Amino acid sequence: MRDRIRVAVVDDQELMRSALRMMVESQADLELVGEAADGHDALALVRGRRVDVVLMDLRMPRLDGIQATEIITRELPATRVLALTTFDLDEYAFPAIRAGASGFLLKDARAEEIVDAIRTVHAGHGVVAPSTTRRLIEHVAATPADTGAKAAAIRERLTPRELDMLRELATGDTNAEIAHRLHLSENTVKTHVGHVLSKLGLRDRVQAVVLAYESGLVKRSHPRG
């Protein structure tokens, strides 16, 4: 039997923690390892126990979810954070993703969507609410690009094919869509994506989208470079 995915629930509302707890405990492949009501307690929890995925509320007292996410992903890179919020607003989504969250979903998402997202981020992929994905790309595309140092460093680390794959990732398309466009097998695309993420030290493709635009390798008017 495969090890269960160890999940921590962080939310300042007891009712929400209860709902998330029951959702996690209803799944045979998930294990609830603890709960926290704010960012400080969340840090103590993940530092004291092995946690695979944190369900992180973003608006909390003392230490908010964005600050907690940044610390967790810096100290414990193997721990994935799935940010949950009541508001589908850029001011919450983008800072959470920049802080290192592998996913961003609304709290009113269906239970099966959240459960699937836990499994997805644990597998090393990113999850962003559909309503947020396109705005994320537009937001980072509109951000002034780096002076060139980031782009140069990326070019040194990636092969030409991998550099092309990074630009493809910046479109926000799935592996299947990229494979169809490039006339490649989906497995080949998946392999290239894995190499890109590994060489650049990125957790998932959401981080790759942000880096591609911030480095200037992808321009807003020419999304595929």
Side-chain angles (χ1 to χ4, degrees):
M1 179 179 175
R2 293 189 303 175
D3 291 340
R4 292 192 291 176
I5 301 172
R6 297 169 60 85
V7 180
V9 171
V10 182
D11 198 292
D12 64 336
Q13 296 183 7
E14 185 175 352
L15 186 61
M16 190 66 194
R17 291 201 308 274
S18 177
L20 293 172
R21 180 197 318 127
M22 289 188 292
M23 179 195 68
V24 170
E25 292 178 338
S26 70
Q27 303 299 310
D29 62 332
L30 305 183
E31 176 184 353
L32 182 71
V33 296
E35 301 176 27
D38 60 46
H40 284 299
D41 290 345
L43 294 179
L45 175 58
V46 299
R47 286 166 175 164
R49 306 182 192 180
R50 181 174 67 82
V51 178
D52 297 316
V53 178
V54 180
L55 295 180
M56 180 74 76
D57 181 23
L58 296 183
R59 301 181 69 196
M60 295 182 295
R62 297 211 298 166
L63 186 71
D64 66 32
I66 293 171
Q67 294 172 295
T69 294
E70 185 173 9
I71 296 170
I72 290 170
T73 56
R74 183 176 67 245
E75 291 185 2
L76 301 163
T79 299
R80 302 290 194 249
V81 175
L82 180 59
L84 299 176
T85 183
T86 307
F87 303 99
D88 181 18
L89 298 177
D90 300 353
E91 64 183 290
Y92 299 113
F94 304 138
I97 291 168
R98 290 180 189 277
S102 293
F104 177 89
L105 290 176
L106 300 180
K107 289 183 179 180
D108 62 2
R110 299 192 309 275
E112 54 265 34
E113 290 179 313
I114 298 177
V115 168
D116 285 344
I118 291 172
R119 296 175 180 132
T120 299
V121 298
H122 179 253
H125 306 295
V127 175
V128 181
S131 57
T132 306
T133 303
R134 183 52 52 186
R135 293 205 320 280
L136 168 65
I137 292 175
E138 292 175 350
H139 178 84
V140 296
T143 302
D146 186 78
T147 57
K150 280 186 180 179
I154 292 170
R155 292 180 192 278
E156 288 182 2
R157 295 182 187 180
L158 302 184
T159 67
R161 173 51 66 91
E162 290 164 352
L163 194 60
D164 287 341
M165 194 56 62
L166 176 60
R167 292 187 176 108
E168 292 294 332
L169 285 174
T171 66
D173 290 344
T174 65
N175 286 351
E177 290 167 335
I178 294 172
H180 178 75
R181 183 162 59 247
L182 299 183
H183 306 290
L184 298 172
S185 72
E186 193 169 344
N187 282 337
T188 298
V189 171
K190 184 177 180 180
T191 298
H192 285 311
V193 170
H195 290 162
V196 169
L197 299 182
S198 177
K199 287 184 177 182
L200 298 180
L202 303 173
R203 295 178 191 84
D204 49 60
R205 58 202 302 136
V206 174
Q207 300 290 325
V209 170
V210 174
L211 180 61
Y213 281 105
E214 287 186 335
S215 66
L217 284 171
V218 175
K219 303 294 192 297
R220 184 173 187 176
S221 57
H222 301 287
R224 294 192 178 95

